[in-house]
Amino acid sequence: MITYLRSTHHRPEIKQTTTLAPGTWIRSEKPNDDDIATLVKLGLDEDIIRDALDPHEVPRVELEGDWTYFISRLPDTDDDFNDFTTPILFAIGSEHILTVSRDPLGRLWQPFIEKTNAPTTQKTKLFMLMVDAITRQYQTRVASINRQMRASTSDVTNLHPGDIATFVEYERKLNDYLDALIPTNTSLEKLLGGRLLQLYEDDRDLVEDLSIDLEQLIARCKSLLRTITNVRDSYRAVMDTRLNETLRILTVITLGLTIPTMIAGLFGMNVALPGHDWPYTFWAILGVSILAAGSLSYYFMKKR
């Protein structure tokens, strides 16, 4: 599906249009072969378009003809084929700016359209604002993970196997975010050279601010990953301590029952033994057994 959106200095609200005029934002989501053919007629490279539809495409930036192509990735997706990010292509040409995604991105673009009052005729600035919107989505997701982890790790001794499984899922998600954020930041830094995209002073400031935000996000993701590793190690240490304590108690019980078992075995033999006619033999054996088991248990528990 392809839609045309446009805004100007005099009418900064982004509105959908039916005509393709200079300075139009061309938005393509889940494009079919006819849509791709339409985009190719505008001068876009078909191979790059199909690359952007690959669910595992890595972010990058390149210049082909009159178009600058910037492939990034969005956090979280409803597509079951993806993990936690989905690719998106930005193409900035001499007359238009274009976005191509393999998933519907109404959850991203609808708030962006409602809150952004920027002319689509300023293609580079609009592109920076779009990347900033993606960055804010990452910030929201990472902040949410951070809050949930803080709530779960307040007491490591109360963790359950289900909590560790959740942390493993967070770890996969954060690693997927890093795989998208690091090359995206590298691509942004390449834009500062001015060879791939013409940047004015205000545009350069926007790129630098975005790069700083991405670097902070990358550092935050790495910090959370270290926290997850530390929590797993702490949980393993707690489980080992509990296991050792259980084995110690079972060992003490086993040793405590050794002498009573031996006495019971001796007096359980089918042979004549001294004192077997004594009426209090059973109670004497029972008392000696209890005394021996209690003494051994006390000694070993005290000595740990």
Side-chain angles (χ1 to χ4, degrees):
M1 180 181 67
I2 297 178
T3 56
Y4 302 139
L5 302 103
R6 196 170 188 272
S7 62
T8 63
H9 285 286
H10 304 292
R11 187 180 59 81
E13 299 85 4
I14 300 176
K15 300 291 184 181
Q16 186 171 338
T17 66
T18 58
T19 59
L20 183 60
T24 298
W25 168 18
I26 305 172
R27 175 180 162 188
S28 177
E29 298 176 351
K30 298 185 70 173
N32 54 31
D33 291 338
D34 292 337
D35 294 334
I36 294 176
T38 301
L39 298 178
V40 171
K41 289 179 181 179
L42 295 175
L44 276 79
D45 189 295
E46 182 177 356
D47 292 335
I48 295 180
I49 295 175
R50 296 195 180 276
D51 287 344
L53 300 178
D54 182 355
H56 306 296
E57 185 64 22
V58 177
R60 70 178 192 273
V61 61
E62 58 182 271
L63 179 65
E64 289 287 343
D66 296 331
W67 292 87
T68 299
Y69 300 95
F70 188 96
I71 298 178
S72 184
R73 297 186 70 87
L74 286 168
D76 293 350
T77 176
D78 297 329
D79 188 350
D80 294 336
F81 191 72
N82 288 306
D83 262 345
F84 303 106
T85 59
T86 185
I88 182 172
L89 167 67
F90 298 94
I92 302 100
S94 57
E95 293 187 351
H96 310 294
I97 180 171
L98 182 141
T99 58
V100 180
S101 61
R102 69 186 309 273
D103 299 304
L105 299 182
R107 62 190 182 278
L108 169 68
W109 294 136
Q110 193 57 41
F112 177 82
I113 292 172
E114 293 174 354
K115 297 178 181 179
T116 303
N117 289 327
T120 58
T121 52
Q122 293 184 353
K123 299 178 294 297
T124 302
K125 182 178 180 180
L126 184 67
F127 162 66
M128 297 302 171
L129 293 175
M130 290 176 174
V131 177
D132 182 63
I134 294 175
T135 303
R136 287 198 300 270
Q137 282 208 341
Y138 276 111
Q139 290 171 340
T140 301
R141 302 302 194 281
V142 173
S144 176
I145 293 175
N146 183 36
R147 287 193 300 270
Q148 295 174 35
M149 285 181 55
R150 284 183 178 275
S152 301
T153 58
S154 57
D155 187 358
V156 178
T157 58
N158 290 331
L159 288 177
H160 302 284
D163 298 323
I164 300 301
T166 301
F167 289 154
V168 171
E169 191 72 3
Y170 289 159
E171 187 175 32
R172 292 181 58 238
K173 181 176 290 189
L174 290 169
N175 279 319
D176 202 33
Y177 287 177
L178 281 178
D179 289 341
L181 289 170
I182 292 176
T184 296
N185 188 40
T186 302
S187 299
L188 276 177
E189 291 175 347
K190 288 182 179 180
L191 293 179
L192 290 173
R195 186 179 65 86
L196 298 173
L197 188 65
Q198 183 180 1
L199 297 176
Y200 298 100
E201 190 61 31
D202 292 343
D203 298 331
R204 298 182 68 87
D205 292 339
L206 284 174
V207 174
E208 291 174 355
D209 291 342
L210 283 173
S211 181
I212 292 173
D213 290 341
L214 288 175
E215 288 175 357
Q216 292 175 345
L217 266 174
I218 291 169
R220 190 61 185 151
C221 289
K222 291 181 178 179
S223 175
L224 290 175
L225 286 172
R226 287 194 297 270
T227 300
I228 291 174
T229 301
N230 292 337
V231 168
R232 281 210 312 265
D233 292 343
S234 300
Y235 177 78
R236 188 180 299 111
V238 169
M239 291 297 101
D240 289 343
T241 301
R242 290 176 178 174
L243 177 62
N244 291 336
E245 185 67 16
T246 301
L247 291 176
R248 186 179 71 87
I249 293 174
L250 291 175
T251 302
V252 169
I253 293 174
T254 302
L255 292 174
L257 293 177
T258 299
I259 293 179
T261 301
M262 182 179 64
I263 295 175
L266 289 173
F267 280 87
M269 292 187 298
N270 193 22
V271 296
L273 293 173
H276 69 279
D277 293 330
W278 189 40
Y280 301 105
T281 300
F282 172 78
W283 299 107
I285 294 173
L286 182 62
V288 171
S289 299
I290 293 175
L291 179 63
S295 300
L296 284 174
S297 298
Y298 174 78
Y299 175 79
F300 286 115
M301 291 296 289
K302 186 177 180 180
K303 295 295 184 178
R304 298 190 67 83

